[in-house]
C-alpha cells in the first residue's frame, strides 16, 4: 500500500479511536489522544481533508 494510503488508513483509525474516547468521556490527557492529531496532520499533509477522514471514520463497517 502506498504511503499516502497508509497515512489515510492510520488517520481513519486514529479518528475512530478519538471518537470512541470522546464517547467514553475520556480526559484530554488520555495517552491515546496524543497520537490522534499528529496522525491526522500526516494524512492532511498527504492531501486528504479532515472531512474525508471523518466520513471514513464514521462510516459503518
Amino acid at each position: 500500500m502506498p504511503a499516502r494510503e497508509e497515512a489515510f488508513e492510520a488517520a481513519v483509525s486514529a479518528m475512530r479511536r478519538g471518537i470512541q474516547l470522546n464517547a467514553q468521556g475520556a480526559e484530554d490527557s488520555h495517552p491515546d489522544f496524543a497520537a490522534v492529531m499528529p496522525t491526522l496532520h500526516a494524512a492532511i499533509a498527504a492531501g486528504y481533508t479532515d472531512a474525508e477522514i471523518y466520513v471514513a471514520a464514521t462510516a459503518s463497517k
Side-chain angles (χ1 to χ4, degrees), residues 39-60:
T39 307
L40 293 176
H41 289 162
I44 291 168
Y48 293 100
T49 67
D50 57 343
E52 289 172 311
I53 297 164
Y54 179 80
V55 167
T58 57
S60 59

Side-chain angles (χ1 to χ4, degrees), residues 14-53:
M15 184 171 280
R16 282 189 184 126
R17 180 65 177 141
I19 291 168
Q20 180 184 45
L21 290 169
N22 283 334
Q24 294 172 352
E27 298 291 326
D28 289 346
S29 60
H30 191 288
D32 286 0
F33 274 126
V36 172
M37 291 312 291
T39 307
L40 293 176
H41 289 162
I44 291 168
Y48 293 100
T49 67
D50 57 343
E52 289 172 311
I53 297 164

